[in-house]
Amino acid sequence: MTKTRATPIEDDAPRREIIRAAAELFMDLGYRATSIDAIAERMGATKGRVYHWYGSKAEIYFDVQINAMQKLIDLIEPIARGGGTPRERLERMARAHVDILLHDLPMQKVSVQGLETHVISSTGTRHTKAMRDIVRLRDDYEQMFCEVIDEGTRQGVFVDLPARMLSKPFFGALNWLTIWYRPRRLQTEEDLEAIAENLTGFAMRGILKEQER
Amino acid sequence: MTKTRATPIEDDAPRREIIRAAAELFMDLGYRATSIDAIAERMGATKGRVYHWYGSKAEIYFDVQINAMQKLIDLIEPIARGGGTPRERLERMARAHVDILLHDLPMQKVSVQGLETHVISSTGTRHTKAMRDIVRLRDDYEQMFCEVIDEGTRQGVFVDLPARMLSKPFFGALNWLTIWYRPRRLQTEEDLEAIAENLTGFAMRGILKEQER
DNA sequence: ATCGCTGCATACTAATTGGTATGTTCCAGT
DNA sequence: ACTGGAACATACCAATTAGTATGCAGCGAT
C-alpha cells in the first residue's frame, strides 16, 4: 500500500528533488541569476513548495554543496583508507573523483568551483555557520588527498614538494573539466571513461617522480 | 600643456578604468550580482559616467573578456612563434601564462572561467556577435598551445595523445589557480614566482613522455 | 464528523537594479 | 560673448525577484 499520511514525511525525497533542480540551474545560470520561481517551475511546481522545504535560497545552495561533498567523501574515503601503495591509492582516488564529476555534473560543478564567494556577498555576513561547515568538508576532502600524497613523497615516488603545492594543480587538471566539459547525447560511457583515464593519467604524471613510467 | 578639450577623448583611459573596476567586482561577486551602481561607486562616480562610455552591462563584460584575452595573446604569441624546441616553447608559454594570471587576476579570472554562459542566459540570444568573437579568441589562444603540443608529440617528446586531450588538463593545472589563489599582502614577488614555477613544472611533467627529466 | 496538520498553491510586498531621460558644467573654436 | 558638444550627475521608471501571508485540499487520528 502507499503510505501517504498527514504526519511529516521522514524521507528526504522532496528536498533531494529541489536541490537537484536547483543545481542544474545554478550550473547554467549561476547562483544569483537562478530564481526560486525557476527552480519551482523546473519541478512543475510553484514557489510555495520550495519554501515549504527550505527557508531561503542560500539554504538550498548550502544543501547542494553539502550533498555534493558528502557524495565525494563517501566514495573516496574508503579508497584513501584502503590498501595499496600511495601511488595506487592516489590513482584510484583521482579516477573515482573524475567519475563522480562526470556522472553528477550539476551538483559537482557547483561544489567544485568557487561559487560560494558570490553567496557570501549576497547574504551579508550571515550564514557563516553553514559556510564554515562546507569549507571544512572541502578542506577535509583535500586533506585526504594530501595525506596520500605526503606518504608517497616520503617514499620517494612523488615529486619532493609540500603536498599542498601538488594538490592544487592535481585537482586543477581534474576539476577543470567542470569548465570545459559539456554533456553530449552522442557520448557513450566509453567516451567518458576515456576522458577520466586521460585526466587521471595527466595528473599522475604531474605528481610522479622521474623513474616512474 | 594638458590637452583637455571638448572634442571626444581619443584615448581609452576612461574605458580602461571602468573595465578594471568592473573586473574586480565580477571576480568577487559574479556578473549578475555586480550592479552598475557598484561599478560606478568603486570609481567614485555615478551611473551616468559608466553609461556614457558603455551601452550596457553586457558590453562592459565583453570588453573585460576582450582585453584579458588580447593581453594573453600579445604576450604568448611571440613565444609560440619564436625559437626553441617545442618543450622549451611550451614551458615558456605556460610560465608566461601563469605570470599574467597572477599579476592581472581580476580580469583574467573573469576571462579564464566559463562565466560567459551566465551572461548568455541573462541577455537572451542577443550579443551573440560579441560572444562569438570572444569564443573565437579563446579558441585561437588554445590552438596556439595545441600546435606546439602537436609538434612535440610528433617529435616523440610529449605523450602520444591528441593535443586537445592534453591541453585541457594542461590548462586546468594552470588556470585552477584562479579558483584557489587569493592575493595576500605578505606575499612577495618570490612567492608568486614559486607558485608559477610549481604549476608550470606540474603541467610539463603531465605532458612529457617518460624519458624526460 | 471533524479536527488538526502536512504539503502545497496563490497573492502580495518591498527591495534591488538595468536602463533612460534630463539636467548641468566646462571647454574649444569662432 | 556665444555656441555646441563632451563628460558627466541626478532623477526616474519598469521589470525582476526573495521572501511572506494566506488559502486550501486531503489524510489520519479521535
Side-chain angles (χ1 to χ4, degrees), chain A residues 72-160:
Chain A
L72 283 177
I73 291 172
D74 288 349
L75 274 159
I76 267 69
E77 189 168 19
I79 303 176
R81 311 263 187 251
T85 67
R87 177 183 172 172
E88 288 166 349
R89 273 181 291 151
L90 186 62
E91 182 158 3
R92 283 198 292 265
M93 290 163 72
R95 180 59 191 265
H97 179 83
V98 175
D99 283 338
I100 296 173
L101 295 194
L102 283 171
H103 290 89
D104 192 27
L105 191 62
M107 292 221 287
Q108 295 299 331
K109 178 165 182 169
V110 171
S111 165
V112 116
Q113 296 180 17
L115 283 74
E116 72 276 3
T117 59
H118 306 355
V119 183
I120 287 182
S121 58
S122 67
T123 59
T125 39
R126 292 162 298 163
H127 301 297
T128 49
K129 165 80 168 60
M131 276 292 313
R132 260 207 287 262
D133 287 347
I134 291 166
V135 172
R136 174 74 180 277
L137 278 178
R138 272 234 277 273
D139 285 349
D140 288 351
Y141 185 68
E142 186 172 348
Q143 184 58 29
M144 284 181 9
F145 282 79
C146 283
E147 284 171 10
V148 177
I149 291 173
D150 200 55
E151 195 178 334
T153 298
R154 285 199 306 271
Q155 294 185 9
V157 298
F158 294 157
V159 172
D160 194 21

Side-chain angles (χ1 to χ4, degrees), chain B:
Chain B
M1 293 292 119
T2 57
K3 37 188 236 165
T4 50
R5 60 190 101 172
T7 50
I9 289 179
E10 74 288 343
D11 86 315
D12 53 357
R15 285 170 68 99
R16 296 192 74 83
E17 189 186 356
I18 291 171
I19 60 173
R20 187 187 180 86
E24 294 173 6
L25 289 166
F26 287 155
M27 176 179 71
D28 290 341
L29 313 177
Y31 174 78
R32 190 68 175 255
T34 298
S35 69
I36 305 283
D37 283 318
I39 295 172
E41 190 186 13
R42 170 161 296 222
M43 298 163 34
T46 67
K47 219 172 0 187
R49 179 140 149 226
V50 176
Y51 275 103
H52 180 74
W53 296 100
Y54 285 96
S56 70
K57 185 175 165 183
E59 192 185 330
I60 299 173
Y61 177 82
F62 292 141
D63 208 28
V64 169
Q65 296 272 31
I66 297 283
N67 271 61
M69 282 307 309
Q70 204 56 55
K71 185 168 184 177
L72 282 177
I73 291 172
D74 289 348
L75 275 159
I76 267 68
E77 189 166 19
I79 303 177
R81 311 260 186 255
T85 67
R87 177 184 171 170
E88 288 166 349
R89 274 181 290 152
L90 186 62
E91 182 158 5
R92 283 198 292 266
M93 290 163 73
R95 180 60 191 263
H97 179 83
V98 175
D99 283 339
I100 296 173
L101 295 195
L102 282 170
H103 290 90
D104 192 28
L105 190 62
M107 290 221 288
Q108 295 299 331
K109 177 165 182 166
V110 170
S111 165
V112 117
Q113 297 180 16
L115 283 75
E116 72 276 2
T117 59
H118 305 356
V119 183
I120 287 180
S121 59
S122 69
T123 59
T125 37
R126 290 164 299 164
H127 302 295
T128 49
K129 166 81 168 59
M131 276 292 314
R132 259 207 287 262
D133 287 347
I134 291 165
V135 172
R136 174 73 180 277
L137 278 179
R138 272 233 278 273
D139 284 348
D140 289 351
Y141 185 68
E142 185 172 348
Q143 185 57 30
M144 284 180 10
F145 282 79
C146 283
E147 284 171 9
V148 177
I149 290 173
D150 199 54
E151 196 179 334
T153 297
R154 286 199 305 271
Q155 294 185 9
V157 299
F158 294 157
V159 172
D160 193 22
L161 284 170
R164 292 275 163 187
M165 285 283 117
L166 290 170
S167 68
K168 299 302 186 189
F170 189 86
F171 276 119
L174 306 180
N175 289 346
W176 197 246
L177 81 82
T178 62
I179 300 282
W180 58 263
Y181 173 71
R182 294 285 141 190
R184 290 284 174 210
R185 344 199 180 320
L186 293 171
Q187 239 150 0
T188 68
E189 191 62 30
E190 288 81 38
D191 294 329
L192 297 188
E193 282 179 26
I195 290 173
E197 185 66 26
N198 281 330
L199 296 185
T200 302
F202 188 99
M204 290 307 295
R205 286 193 300 275
I207 218 169
L208 282 167
K209 256 191 176 165
E210 58 267 28
Q211 70 269 23
E212 327 290 329
R213 279 213 95 181

Side-chain angles (χ1 to χ4, degrees), chain A residues 58-78:
Chain A
E59 193 184 327
I60 299 173
Y61 178 82
F62 292 141
D63 208 29
V64 170
Q65 296 272 29
I66 297 282
N67 270 62
M69 283 306 309
Q70 204 57 54
K71 185 168 183 176
L72 283 177
I73 291 172
D74 288 349
L75 274 159
I76 267 69
E77 189 168 19

